[in-house]
């Protein structure tokens, strides 16, 4: 008899997030799941890792049932500790999510969800980030069930080195999801990235964020697939090099 695949589940919304439990429950059908997640929400923490303070792992009860390992660190810390300290390196796939809210276009660089999957790829494991494209009333069920099917396929086929999958699922009933599209990372236009306000003592403070005005990447992008009611899967690579511009840059003959 073959051993069950070993699955590390993490997120950036924290160990008590509903999306994490939904993912864990769906993946329990596919393999043996280990849950290692930040002790508090760490959305938009990017790929930070903790180098200058002690990290602790605490087993906690999850309100949605069962137990998990809570870490006083970032999503990427959770992946490194999960694989090497908790699973002893015996991890077959890393799955991060299900995030509350989409991770599209430029979000990827800020996203703790995607960064955790990137860390999985850095550690040499197949890795998948999953987000549901709604902040208000997410139904994690369709995303969880799709991810279980995808993880089973990834375990069977493998992923190339340094490659991870960024999955976004529209917040629709399964019957209304219009298929799966393989996409590229999109680009979005924001307005009002910085708001200046005054605190009660008359000093300025700044509030970052901004409204997304439109998806400007067009057909084939992650955001476009979501707009069309499709599941978006973008294969990402750890190599951030702009190979096209490298040729031009060599032509500058810098010295
Ligand atoms: Mn999040």
């Amino acid at each position: 008899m073959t051993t069950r695949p070993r699955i590390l589940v993490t997120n950036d919304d924290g160990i008590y997030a509903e999306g994490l439990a939904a993912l864990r429950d769906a993946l329990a059908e596919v393999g043996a799941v280990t849950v290692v997640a930040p002790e508090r929400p760490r959305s938009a923490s990017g790929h930070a890792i903790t180098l200058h303070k002690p990290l602790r792992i605490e087993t906690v009860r999850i309100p949605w049932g069962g137990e998990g390992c809570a870490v006083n660190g970032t999503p990427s810390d959770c992946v490194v500790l999960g694989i090497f300290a908790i699973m002893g390196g015996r991890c077959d796939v890393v799955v991060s999510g299900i995030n509350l809210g989409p991770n599209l276009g430029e979000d990827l660089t800020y996203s703790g969800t995607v960064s955790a999957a990137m860390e999985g790829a850095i550690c040499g494991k197949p890795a998948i980030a999953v987000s549901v494209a709604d902040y208000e009333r997410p139904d994690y069920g369709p995303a969880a069930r799709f991810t279980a099917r995808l993880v089973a396929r990834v375990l069977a086929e493998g992923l190339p080195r340094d490659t991870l999958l960024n999955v976004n699922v529209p917040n629709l009933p399964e019957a209304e999801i219009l298929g799966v599209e393989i996409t590229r990372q999109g680009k979005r236009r924001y307005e009002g990235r910085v708001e200046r306000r005054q605190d009660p003592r008359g000093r300025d403070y700044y509030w970052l964020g901004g409204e997304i005005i439109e998806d400007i990447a067009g057909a084939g992008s992650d955001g476009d697939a979501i707009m069309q009611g499709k599941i978006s899967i973008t294969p990402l690579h750890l190599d951030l090099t702009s190979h096209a511009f490298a040729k031009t840059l060599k032509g500058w003959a810098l010295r």
Side-chain angles (χ1 to χ4, degrees):
M1 191 188 137
T2 52
T3 55
R4 299 190 81 202
R6 286 154 298 213
I7 304 169
L8 173 60
V9 165
T10 191
N11 74 350
D12 77 353
D13 294 332
I15 189 95
Y16 304 112
E18 187 182 355
L20 181 78
L23 183 60
R24 172 201 63 186
D25 292 348
L27 293 181
E29 307 284 318
V30 181
V33 178
T34 302
V35 175
V36 186
E39 63 180 4
R40 62 183 176 87
R42 301 300 296 259
S43 289
S45 60
H47 205 138
I49 56 168
T50 303
L51 297 179
H52 304 293
K53 64 169 198 173
L55 287 169
R56 309 275 185 194
I57 301 167
E58 201 186 335
T59 302
V60 299
R61 293 204 66 74
I62 295 175
W64 315 96
E67 293 183 335
C69 299
V71 172
N72 61 333
T74 65
S76 295
D77 291 332
C78 291
V79 171
V80 176
L81 286 180
I83 292 174
F84 297 109
I86 296 170
M87 302 173 84
R90 293 181 299 278
C91 168
D92 298 306
V93 63
V94 175
V95 190
S96 174
I98 299 169
N99 190 60
L100 172 64
N103 275 303
L104 304 166
E106 290 85 350
D107 297 343
L108 272 58
T109 57
Y110 307 116
S111 169
T113 306
V114 174
S115 294
M118 272 189 189
E119 189 59 47
I122 289 171
C123 295
K125 307 297 182 189
I128 302 169
V130 190
S131 307
V132 64
D134 194 282
Y135 292 103
E136 306 295 329
R137 294 187 185 282
D139 176 2
Y140 293 106
R145 288 186 286 273
F146 174 74
T147 305
R149 296 193 294 276
L150 178 63
V151 167
R153 191 69 188 268
V154 163
L155 285 165
E157 311 268 351
L159 289 179
R161 263 200 89 73
D162 299 339
T163 302
L164 56 141
L165 303 180
N166 182 40
V167 179
N168 283 270
V169 179
N171 193 38
L172 296 170
E174 249 145 3
E176 292 173 31
I177 295 177
L178 299 177
V180 180
E181 190 163 318
I182 307 307
T183 56
R184 64 195 152 76
Q185 182 184 359
K187 194 156 185 58
R188 300 197 284 179
R189 197 163 68 82
Y190 294 82
E191 208 150 81
R193 293 298 304 276
V194 180
E195 268 187 58
R196 182 169 62 199
R197 297 188 184 183
Q198 279 202 336
D199 70 21
R201 303 211 168 107
R203 290 180 56 201
D204 288 342
Y205 69 91
Y206 298 87
W207 197 264
L208 299 188
E211 292 285 304
I212 295 155
I213 300 302
E214 57 181 343
D215 203 295
I216 55 174
S221 73
D222 48 15
D224 190 65
I226 290 298
M227 293 264 287
Q228 291 184 43
K230 295 177 181 169
I231 294 172
S232 164
I233 306 182
T234 311
L236 301 176
H237 199 278
L238 293 180
D239 181 1
L240 300 179
T241 311
S242 169
H243 292 282
F245 185 63
K247 292 195 186 78
T248 307
L249 196 54
K250 278 178 191 162
W252 289 11
L254 294 166
R255 46 165 291 164

